[in-house]
Amino acid sequence: MKRLFGTDGMRGEAGQFPLDKATVRTVGESLARHLAEKAEAERAPRIVLGRDTRESGLWIEQAFTEGARAAGAECQSAGVITTPGVAFLTRTLPADAGVVISASHNPYQDNGIKIFSPTGRKLDDATERLIEADIEAARKTEAVKDAPALKAEALEEGYDGEGARLRQRYLDYLAQDAGAGLSLENLSIVVDCANGAASQIAPALFERLGARVHQISCEPDGRNINRDCGSLHIEGLRRAVLEHGADLGVAFDGDADRALFVDARGEFVDGDATLWIMAQYLASRGELKDGIVVATVMSNIGLELALGTRGWRLQRTDVGDKYVLEELLRTGASIGGEQSGHIIFPRQSLAGDGITTALGLLRAMHDTGSGLDQLTTGFKRYPQVLVNVRVREKRPFEEVAEIARASAETRAQMGERGRLLLRYSGTEPLARVMIEGEQQEAVERYANQLASVIKESLGAP
């Protein structure tokens, strides 16, 4: 069976394998059983759950809970809450695992299951493989154990009682710990919550800290999550910032583990620019350990060059916050993240949190007395082009003489102020050609030339 868990949990179309009800129940039962095997004492494993605003979230959570309770687990639901909110609750309750029902930035038809350990890290690979083996066994035998059905209404009641208390606990943490001593008085902020999990939490937090908040895309209906809004669609945020004359705007994705920004002039501030701002702020406080910033191979060369002007170093990883976190822990670095706005401050939490990223940026503005546009000074985003080529096979590029030769020539032509990245898609038969450089026209020409060579050598018929 193909691996079901990727770098960000298990994801797919809601109602279809592996997110059909029977399989989701199997996942709940399997996780609970393996947690019980790890438990130090003879007690029931404790699982805390949360979900985003997709219409499928409730029945998926219900199916998971049925399976987990059948295996003896105790389950608590925080209702609609962000992914980092569940990671926080898992760490502080504490619970043996945290489960998020979300497909992040995907459209509403999709959903997913993310599982956190008590440390706030994603579930370990070994346990994921055990769960996948249980899913395969259940599908072969068609033996999915039944559990007493939970009424959806009863699950909803928990959201207003226990769930409300858990959400308040997270909100208090954001305001009193992550936002300790931060005043946002006289600051005007536009908040775009992608009609997702942060729709109530984020505006309430910023208002609690004193900001004048203008909300957009904070009215989820089960189907409008990420639809023409949030971190994938910055245009609406830009318009709102200019319309209201706001000091800045922040856009979250559906589960709010990432955040992107717009400054008062309407200029886009992505994850690379955020890393630059926060690296400077941490350094000013003596907290940028060894001058290292961790990012993925997709981060813009402009970030690498900007950090170099200060004598700092960009440490690159494979694509995925999982790999960023691994490198942060290996090096002991203070900050890492992705161009998409998923930023991790490991001394604060091992899970990226879009809201705490926003608080960090706001704190840098507050403490320096600078606008967001001023804080990005020194960072120049270089033109970047990505071309996909459908291939018949995924041979290592260095083993194909024509591609190796063309790649070497391209790198030589670009020099030190350009970058070439060749990689295969992890899910599709595609080769990806990514080139960055100072001139848009030259970058496009190099990318298309190399894509043609790959198509001739490995292209699908």
Side-chain angles (χ1 to χ4, degrees):
M1 184 176 67
K2 179 182 176 183
R3 285 182 58 165
L4 301 177
F5 284 90
T7 58
D8 201 24
M10 190 168 67
R11 193 175 297 184
E13 184 178 350
Q16 302 297 315
F17 178 80
L19 291 176
D20 57 288
K21 289 185 178 180
T23 303
V24 171
R25 281 197 297 268
T26 299
V27 174
E29 181 178 359
S30 176
L31 176 64
R33 184 159 44 80
H34 293 303
L35 289 175
E37 292 169 356
K38 292 181 180 181
E40 296 178 0
E42 293 185 1
R43 59 170 180 80
R46 188 181 190 187
I47 300 174
V48 61
L49 300 97
R51 62 184 179 93
D52 66 23
T53 56
R54 295 162 209 272
E55 63 180 12
S56 61
L58 183 58
W59 69 256
I60 291 176
E61 183 178 338
Q62 181 176 5
F64 184 98
T65 301
E66 288 175 354
R69 286 182 175 170
E74 296 177 357
C75 297
Q76 288 180 280
S77 174
V80 174
I81 191 172
T82 66
T83 288
V86 172
F88 164 78
L89 292 172
T90 307
R91 184 176 76 250
T92 60
L93 282 173
D96 296 288
V99 174
V100 183
I101 311 300
S102 173
S104 188
H105 55 277
N106 287 28
Y108 85 92
Q109 296 94 335
D110 293 338
N111 218 319
I113 299 174
K114 305 180 188 181
I115 306 174
F116 289 92
S117 72
T119 64
R121 298 186 69 174
K122 301 286 177 60
L123 188 67
D124 61 277
D125 288 343
T127 305
E128 287 181 348
R129 300 292 85 78
L130 291 173
I131 294 173
E132 288 176 344
D134 289 339
I135 292 172
E136 184 172 17
R139 282 169 64 81
K140 285 181 177 179
T141 62
E142 297 183 356
V144 180
K145 296 180 180 179
D146 291 328
L150 295 174
K151 292 184 178 180
E153 304 82 53
L155 209 54
E156 282 284 15
E157 287 172 7
Y159 297 158
D160 294 331
E162 179 70 6
R165 184 185 68 79
L166 293 175
R167 291 193 298 275
Q168 186 63 45
R169 179 174 177 150
Y170 175 56
L171 180 58
D172 288 344
Y173 157 75
L174 292 171
Q176 299 169 9
D177 291 81
L182 177 62
S183 172
L184 302 183
E185 290 186 12
N186 301 318
L187 204 66
S188 175
I189 304 175
V190 178
V191 181
D192 180 345
C193 292
N195 295 312
S199 294
Q200 291 187 9
I201 294 172
L205 171 68
F206 297 133
E207 288 177 352
R208 181 168 166 177
L209 295 176
R212 298 190 305 278
V213 177
H214 307 280
Q215 302 180 35
I216 62 174
S217 302
C218 294
E219 299 180 352
D221 64 8
R223 295 190 172 193
N224 61 359
I225 187 170
N226 300 314
R227 186 198 298 159
D228 300 324
C229 59
S231 61
L232 291 182
H233 304 278
I234 295 294
E235 302 80 15
L237 180 65
R238 178 182 286 117
R239 287 194 299 270
V241 167
L242 296 175
E243 177 186 340
H244 292 288
D247 295 290
L248 79 159
V250 53
F252 302 104
D253 62 338
D255 68 336
D257 61 357
R258 65 179 71 178
L260 297 174
F261 304 89
V262 169
D263 68 22
R265 302 174 303 171
E267 296 296 321
F268 179 46
V269 177
D270 67 1
D272 288 340
T274 301
L275 286 171
W276 167 241
I277 292 169
M278 295 310 301
Q280 295 179 92
Y281 180 68
L282 291 172
S284 71
R285 298 163 58 90
E287 297 175 1
L288 187 65
K289 188 174 185 298
D290 297 331
I292 297 175
V293 174
V294 178
T296 76
V297 292
M298 296 304 294
S299 275
N300 196 275
I301 191 175
L303 174 60
E304 192 167 359
L305 295 173
L307 293 172
T309 64
R310 301 294 182 88
W312 304 332
R313 177 162 56 94
L314 183 67
Q315 189 80 10
R316 293 185 183 271
T317 74
D318 288 339
V319 176
D321 64 281
K322 173 181 179 179
Y323 302 112
V324 172
L325 177 57
E326 287 176 355
E327 189 65 13
L328 284 168
L329 296 176
R330 188 188 71 81
T331 61
S334 310
I335 185 173
E338 298 183 276
Q339 193 178 61
S340 62
H342 194 132
I343 310 296
I344 302 175
F345 302 93
R347 295 175 187 172
Q348 188 174 49
S349 171
L350 299 185
D353 188 333
I355 297 179
T356 59
T357 298
L359 289 174
L361 208 64
L362 289 164
R363 192 180 293 279
M365 292 173 60
H366 177 273
D367 290 357
T368 61
S370 303
L372 187 54
D373 58 330
Q374 296 170 296
L375 294 179
T376 59
T377 300
F379 170 75
K380 174 188 174 183
R381 186 181 299 105
Y382 276 50
Q384 184 183 84
V385 172
L386 177 65
V387 179
N388 293 321
V389 181
R390 188 164 292 276
V391 295
R392 62 180 180 273
E393 59 177 328
K394 295 182 179 180
R395 289 178 60 191
F397 296 115
E398 63 274 13
E399 293 182 4
V400 183
E402 295 83 359
I403 298 175
R405 183 170 55 252
S407 298
E409 291 174 354
T410 300
R411 289 191 171 94
Q413 291 171 322
M414 291 188 300
E416 294 183 357
R417 303 187 74 80
R419 190 167 70 95
L420 163 64
L421 173 67
L422 294 182
R423 57 188 288 265
Y424 288 112
S425 165
T427 58
E428 300 176 90
L430 296 175
R432 303 195 192 281
V433 181
M434 192 278 286
I435 295 184
E436 296 171 335
E438 294 183 290
Q439 302 298 325
Q440 181 74 32
E441 182 180 349
V443 167
E444 291 178 357
R445 183 173 68 255
Y446 291 143
N448 289 325
Q449 288 173 348
L450 189 49
S452 295
V453 174
I454 294 174
K455 186 175 182 179
E456 291 175 5
S457 302
L458 300 175

